Amino acid sequence: MPIIPAIAALHAEMADWRRDLHAHPETAFEEHRTAGMIAEKLTEWGIEVHCGIGGTGVVGVLRNGEQGRRIGLRADMDALAIAEGNTFSHASRYSGKFHGCGHDGHVAMLLGAARYLAATRRFSGTVVFIFQPAEEGQGGARKMLADGLFDRFPCDEIYAMHNRPTMPLGQIAVLSGPVMAAADEFRAHITGRGGHAANPHLCVDPVVAAAHLVTAWQPLVSRRTDPLDAVVISVTEMHAGNTFNVIPAEAFLGGTARSHRAETRERLSVEMAEVAHGIARAFGVEIAFDYLRGYPATVNHQTEAVIAAAAARLVVGDGNVRSDLPPAMGAEDFAYMLEARPGAYIWVGQAAEPGGRGACSLHSPNYDFNDDVLPIGASLFATLVEMSRQPER
């Protein structure tokens, strides 16, 4: 695999960084040790360092000349609030915290690229290394932007990558357009009139209304949405009652709605509310419905997706760069950065063999980042920077 030789030489060191981060996971906006380790290394390599961006975020700035591209490279650095099931030597030392999504690997890859670029400076312009907190549901990207990320550290283009356990090691996927979905939350609080279960005619049953609401939402996907426009409505919570012979007075439903297109997202929020109000009228209950917007869809810009694919071909070869993956229905807060600047989100395969090393799914308690990805990802980050000159290696 034609990765950059100087980065290949850093493989063992990058693996040490990654395993140290894995052993010391920190969740959203608590990434103080992680941020300190990153800042220390960037400073050691002569990179200008800014800490506390958007809470615990770290930004490194590397300039080479007065002219040239201003390119941002982002790695997420937070862990999950779940317990790890692995027992290897670098397993989490903190109860209930675990790098189960590979952000430890993303940080190590960006650090590897930063060290290489600081040593070689085979580019013209400015590189902004963005180490972002709180990707896992807390919107760290949004916090960094609110803290003036791109005003303080101007970028003309922005890139991020994520490991993909369902894709073979050595493959890279870049799509133009939607890559990940918008992730919204909905809640429905249903109020009826409780009473004895033997006398339902004297009650207004919120459980029956809740059951009908679950099924009534589904045709919004199957009958109101173009089959080629991916949409998900999943009811994931249902709470009502606490004993067998009482019809409760209240019921609660909650879940998530996922979509790729802004128009579809807006339509879902309106139509789900309309269905809820219709069910309320039909069953004589009251329904308080809330639709809470989460991360927007992650949408790659066409020009930058082409640039990222070209860089990937330099690293792994033409036959290992894919554009055929369907957009995922998961969500990613890099979406906020792509709303602010043109860029691309890149998938990097990590499965050494199907069902084997590197193939365990994200957020599984037995997940671990495959260290063989490190020189690939670091080379891709570095190549994105060097591409304007495309120096010989």
Side-chain angles (χ1 to χ4, degrees):
M1 208 172 295
I3 61 175
I4 297 173
I7 287 180
L10 294 174
H11 190 176
E13 194 167 1
M14 285 192 289
D16 287 342
W17 302 337
R18 203 280 299 178
R19 294 184 178 203
D20 177 71
L21 291 168
H22 191 97
H24 301 89
E26 295 173 303
T27 51
F29 299 117
E30 298 177 350
E31 306 95 339
H32 300 289
R33 182 187 186 276
T34 303
M37 174 263 210
I38 291 167
E40 180 180 354
K41 293 194 177 299
L42 295 179
T43 301
E44 177 186 338
W45 303 329
I47 297 173
E48 177 185 314
V49 176
H50 302 262
C51 298
I53 312 301
T56 47
V58 180
V59 173
V61 181
L62 180 64
R63 300 180 182 87
N64 196 42
E66 298 299 322
Q67 305 295 322
R69 299 160 70 203
R70 300 180 299 180
I71 181 171
L73 305 174
R74 174 269 205 175
D76 39 14
M77 58 183 189
D78 58 321
L80 293 162
I82 61 175
E84 180 165 11
N86 298 309
T87 58
F88 42 55
S89 61
H90 61 277
S92 174
R93 298 178 186 176
Y94 303 153
S95 177
K97 299 181 181 182
F98 164 48
H99 268 298
C101 201
H103 297 184
D104 49 347
H106 303 164
V107 169
M109 292 190 296
L110 188 52
L111 284 174
R115 180 170 181 177
Y116 163 80
L117 291 166
T120 59
R121 295 178 183 264
R122 298 167 71 178
F123 67 94
S124 296
T126 302
V127 189
V128 180
F129 303 100
I130 302 167
F131 294 89
Q132 181 213 302
E135 188 279 325
E136 295 288 357
Q138 298 300 312
R142 186 176 58 235
K143 293 290 182 67
M144 293 190 84
L145 290 169
D147 208 3
L149 176 65
F150 291 139
D151 296 324
R152 298 164 66 180
F153 314 103
C155 295
D156 302 313
E157 53 194 303
I158 181 81
Y159 299 91
M161 65 181 76
H162 202 293
N163 73 96
R164 189 168 181 126
T166 56
M167 200 165 73
L169 177 70
Q171 288 189 359
I172 295 172
V174 186
L175 313 177
S176 179
V179 182
M180 302 275 276
D184 299 330
E185 179 184 355
F186 59 82
R187 302 169 184 168
H189 184 206
I190 306 168
T191 304
R193 185 172 63 250
H196 200 296
N199 300 306
H201 60 295
L202 301 178
C203 306
V204 179
D205 193 341
V207 176
V208 173
H212 279 79
L213 185 54
V214 172
T215 58
W217 275 331
Q218 295 310 310
L220 297 181
V221 177
S222 64
R223 290 298 179 268
R224 297 290 294 275
T225 303
D226 186 330
L228 299 180
D229 183 9
V231 171
V232 169
I233 297 175
S234 290
V235 176
T236 57
E237 296 181 77
M238 180 181 287
H239 308 289
N242 54 22
T243 190
F244 82 100
N245 63 348
V246 175
I247 291 174
E250 297 178 319
F252 172 82
L253 297 177
T256 184
R258 306 291 175 114
S259 56
H260 288 138
R261 298 174 64 245
E263 299 89 341
T264 303
R265 187 187 197 190
E266 181 61 29
R267 179 178 61 80
L268 280 180
S269 68
V270 172
E271 292 185 351
M272 289 186 73
E274 290 175 346
V275 168
H277 297 150
I279 291 292
R281 289 192 298 271
F283 288 88
V285 297
E286 294 181 1
I287 298 181
F289 179 77
D290 292 309
Y291 190 96
L292 309 173
R293 292 178 184 268
Y295 293 171
T298 304
V299 182
N300 281 354
H301 298 251
Q302 183 174 5
T303 297
E304 286 66 34
V306 170
I307 291 170
R313 285 193 290 271
L314 291 174
V315 176
V316 297
D318 290 356
N320 288 313
V321 179
R322 300 178 58 180
S323 61
D324 60 338
L325 294 184
M329 297 310 293
E332 160 66 66
D333 77 343
F334 186 62
Y336 293 114
M337 294 192 184
L338 290 177
E339 288 185 335
R341 292 294 184 275
Y345 187 76
I346 305 161
W347 293 108
V348 182
Q350 81 151 20
E353 58 274 330
R357 185 166 55 89
C360 186
S361 65
L362 301 173
H363 293 213
S364 163
N366 297 115
Y367 170 89
D368 190 30
F369 186 89
N370 184 352
D371 287 330
D372 288 342
V373 179
L374 295 171
I376 300 172
S379 292
L380 179 53
F381 272 140
T383 300
L384 281 164
V385 174
E386 292 183 336
M387 273 188 62
S388 60
R389 292 179 60 191
Q390 295 186 13
E392 294 181 4
R393 298 175 184 162

